[in-house]
Amino acid sequence: VNYRDRLDIIADILQVADQPARKTQIMYQANLSHSLLQKYLAEIVEADLVSFEVETNSYQLTFKGQEFLQAYKNYSKTNKVTKRYLNNLASKRRLLEEMCSKQATDL
Amino acid sequence: VNYRDRLDIIADILQVADQPARKTQIMYQANLSHSLLQKYLAEIVEADLVSFEVETNSYQLTFKGQEFLQAYKNYSKTNKVTKRYLNNLASKRRLLEEMCSKQATDL
């Protein structure tokens, strides 16, 4: 399982708010409990990543929110590549450790 | 400071033993205490990475030891690249965290 951290959750919310969206819509599409969504919405409105439009009762991505999403996508890519490097490194390390451990019967 | 771990120390010893080398020589060139060197030499002789030649009273890299050194160099390169990726990832993450933290006065 891949648990979402704070940044992942914020990115998921912003993704939904790319089109003006109401709270319930965000809640279901971003798969969050009502209380968690409340907490995050307060934070990201305060950080100016989304704005609340009173007339339509909906949340919408700001320019800064768009920038965040771009930067998040870039970060995600780097994250994937880094994980691949870490796995590769770990297997190379295991090989070295085997080579300098006590010899089993040679094949 | 960059502390050497077990694999680094073994690689340093093998590097010295690339040419037949006596215990004192290895001790100084690999920068190890006598007791640590004893411990490591016992391990790497047992693992067949170096062999001890009684006639010349010296240690010498085996074929498997050469293979280890090759694999270690490759591992070191991957290690450096991975560290660069990790640093890059951390700075991208910091940027995102700043973007979703409470707004300071806009510049």
Side-chain angles (χ1 to χ4, degrees):
Chain A
V1 191
N2 240 326
Y3 291 103
R4 294 185 291 177
D5 67 22
R6 184 166 171 266
L7 292 179
D8 301 328
I9 292 174
I10 289 175
D12 285 347
I13 296 173
L14 297 186
Q15 202 74 54
V16 179
D18 192 22
Q19 302 296 323
R22 293 183 177 217
K23 203 185 275 180
T24 10
Q25 197 184 340
I26 300 176
M27 200 172 104
Y28 290 116
Q29 290 189 34
N31 197 23
L32 286 166
S33 69
H34 186 259
S35 59
L36 262 186
L37 180 61
Q38 288 287 85
K39 177 183 162 289
Y40 279 110
L41 276 179
E43 279 180 42
I44 64 183
V45 166
E46 179 127 44
D48 188 30
L49 296 172
V50 293
S51 58
F52 180 67
E53 314 257 328
V54 183
E55 312 89 62
T56 55
N57 191 30
S58 65
Y59 293 87
Q60 176 151 25
L61 210 55
T62 62
F63 179 68
K64 191 182 165 201
Q66 289 169 27
E67 286 185 320
F68 179 97
L69 271 187
Q70 273 309 313
Y72 177 82
K73 276 169 195 158
N74 180 292
Y75 162 80
S76 289
K77 265 187 220 156
T78 305
N79 200 7
K80 272 182 201 142
V81 180
T82 306
K83 277 184 183 159
R84 233 179 290 139
Y85 268 98
L86 282 171
N87 285 335
N88 185 5
L89 189 68
S91 76
K92 283 178 175 166
R93 193 176 173 91
R94 263 194 306 278
L95 188 77
L96 287 169
E97 272 159 3
E98 275 166 29
M99 286 180 89
C100 59
S101 73
K102 209 168 170 172
Q103 281 292 80
T105 323
D106 282 4
L107 298 178
Chain B
V1 189
N2 239 326
Y3 292 103
R4 293 186 290 177
D5 67 21
R6 182 165 173 265
L7 292 179
D8 301 328
I9 293 174
I10 289 175
D12 285 347
I13 296 172
L14 297 186
Q15 202 73 55
V16 179
D18 192 23
Q19 303 296 322
R22 293 183 178 216
K23 203 185 274 180
T24 10
Q25 199 185 336
I26 300 175
M27 201 172 104
Y28 290 116
Q29 290 190 32
N31 197 23
L32 285 166
S33 69
H34 186 261
S35 59
L36 261 186
L37 180 61
Q38 289 286 84
K39 176 182 163 291
Y40 279 109
L41 276 179
E43 278 180 41
I44 64 184
V45 166
E46 180 127 44
D48 190 29
L49 296 172
V50 293
S51 59
F52 180 67
E53 313 257 328
V54 183
E55 312 89 61
T56 56
N57 191 31
S58 65
Y59 294 86
Q60 176 153 25
L61 209 55
T62 61
F63 179 69
K64 192 183 165 198
Q66 289 169 27
E67 286 186 319
F68 180 97
L69 271 186
Q70 273 309 313
Y72 177 82
K73 277 169 195 159
N74 181 291
Y75 163 80
S76 289
K77 264 186 221 158
T78 305
N79 201 7
K80 272 181 200 143
V81 180
T82 306
K83 277 184 183 160
R84 232 179 291 140
Y85 268 99
L86 282 170
N87 285 335
N88 185 3
L89 190 68
S91 76
K92 281 177 176 167
R93 195 178 169 89
R94 264 195 305 278
L95 189 78
L96 286 169
E97 272 160 1
E98 276 167 29
M99 286 180 89
C100 58
S101 73
K102 209 167 169 169
Q103 279 294 76
T105 322
D106 281 4
L107 298 178

